[in-house]
Amino acid sequence: MSSHGRHPKELGTFLMARRAELEPGQVGLPDTGAQRRVPGLRREEVAELAAISTDYYTRVEQGRMRASGPVLEAIARALRLTGDQRAYLYSLADRAPGGPPAPPERTVPAHTRRLLDQLTASPALVLSDTMDVLAWNGLAAALLTDFGQVPEADRNYVWLLFNDPVLRARYGDWEAGAHACVAYLRMHTARRPDDPRLGALLARMAPHADFQRWWQAREVAVQGTGHKVFHHPVAGTLTLDWDTLTSATVPDQHIVVWTAHPGSPSEHGLHRLAAATERPEHQEPSPSASSSV
């Protein structure tokens, strides 16, 4: 780890991407009308808004100086960062509380598997920070794709969303869903930029132009809840709410659960799907695979 944070180059690239999105008029600066060589705010304009010297800001953006917490906050305000973007900035600058993260836990606890077993009316799965599918229940496999038939090396939600024609066809709005997953992946990998699993995934996703475009945009997001529309040959069109639950004891694992409004056509569709599922019991990797996906 350098004295300027774990990954100063990414911090600088992130700041450049954010200032490129803003025009002087959006942040209360006069627009002289002069043509700019590159879009967005100049470094000196960001420095002015943050009440720091241009040299200071330049050094931070170039990774030659580690910004203090108050300076990071001033930069975040100057660039009009959202809550998720501010959290990502602090992680990149190694200012997030708790110090370096522990290695990710790959084994899904028994109590989490029992929870999946008991969610017989709701699709549910467990994702890692890099969106590896670590465990799932039968209804999730019936709704999305049969994860048990997917090779372990491919059992990653982002990979499947771009490469599995079954999962891709199930999404009512594939582009919005895939875009959100890329932003989620970018947000959660700030803590471990050198994770070999992330590196391998990014290498495999290189041929996908949409993924590359969204990844390079450096958009970040953490959504704990939302809704999605699925099209299923048995259940029909389903509008489902989803919630992400993160265990306090295994913070690298996230349980995603989809539910339908009581009495709605979507709830009836899930009931039809559950009845048609030949193996409603919990589906999971073998013991040897549960710790390495």
Side-chain angles (χ1 to χ4, degrees):
M1 182 186 305
S2 76
S3 61
H4 307 315
R6 290 196 296 275
H7 30 95
K9 182 178 179 181
E10 173 59 21
L11 185 149
T13 306
F14 178 71
L15 289 176
M16 286 189 286
R18 298 288 74 81
R19 64 183 174 89
E21 295 175 337
L22 296 172
E23 296 298 331
Q26 294 177 266
V27 294
L29 293 175
D31 190 347
T32 63
Q35 187 174 5
R36 294 172 176 247
R37 290 182 300 171
V38 293
L41 298 179
R42 300 186 179 97
R43 285 173 176 164
E44 57 265 33
E45 291 170 330
V46 177
E48 178 183 347
L49 291 168
I52 58 178
S53 71
T54 300
D55 179 69
Y56 191 130
Y57 176 80
T58 299
R59 287 172 178 268
V60 170
E61 191 174 274
Q62 292 178 343
R64 295 185 290 124
M65 176 176 289
R66 187 183 184 199
S68 66
V71 168
L72 284 177
E73 184 59 29
I75 292 173
R77 288 196 303 268
L79 292 174
R80 306 295 197 266
L81 299 188
T82 66
D84 289 340
Q85 290 170 340
R86 179 181 280 102
Y88 186 66
L89 174 66
Y90 272 73
S91 293
L92 292 176
D94 197 19
R95 290 293 183 183
E105 178 58 62
R106 309 293 301 177
T107 303
V108 178
H111 60 82
T112 300
R113 292 185 176 134
R114 286 196 301 271
L115 174 63
L116 296 184
D117 288 341
Q118 295 170 16
L119 292 174
T120 57
S122 297
L125 50 79
V126 179
L127 298 177
S128 71
D129 275 351
T130 51
M131 302 194 75
D132 289 330
V133 182
L134 302 179
W136 59 93
N137 64 11
L139 202 52
L143 172 66
L144 301 169
T145 194
D146 189 350
F147 298 108
Q149 297 301 312
V150 176
E152 292 178 14
D154 296 340
R155 207 176 286 156
N156 177 279
Y157 203 85
V158 173
W159 169 259
L160 291 171
L161 198 54
F162 281 81
N163 294 278
D164 184 332
V166 174
L167 180 57
R168 182 167 182 147
R170 297 285 162 85
Y171 268 64
D173 188 343
W174 176 86
E175 183 171 341
H179 194 171
C181 281
V182 175
Y184 179 94
L185 180 67
R186 168 70 79 171
M187 182 71 190
H188 277 281
T189 52
R191 296 172 64 234
R192 296 189 184 88
D194 300 322
D195 187 337
R197 291 182 179 276
L198 173 62
L201 176 62
L202 295 181
R204 298 187 72 195
M205 296 301 296
H208 294 277
D210 285 334
F211 178 89
Q212 290 300 322
R213 175 164 52 87
W214 295 330
W215 184 258
Q216 293 304 325
R218 287 173 167 77
E219 297 175 4
V220 292
V222 174
Q223 289 181 282
T225 187
H227 70 272
K228 281 187 173 62
V229 175
F230 296 97
H231 300 303
H232 195 279
V234 173
T237 297
L238 304 174
T239 300
L240 303 179
D241 296 320
W242 58 270
D243 292 272
T244 301
L245 313 173
T246 301
S247 170
T249 56
V250 192
D252 302 298
Q253 296 179 7
H254 314 281
I255 306 169
V256 183
V257 183
W258 286 270
T259 59
H261 187 76
S264 67
S266 295
E267 183 185 48
H268 297 316
L270 282 181
H271 289 166
R272 289 195 303 273
L273 184 59
T277 302
E278 293 183 359
R279 296 178 60 196
E281 73 274 10
H282 168 55
Q283 306 290 307
E284 63 185 29
S286 65
S288 63
S290 63
S291 62
S292 178
V293 178

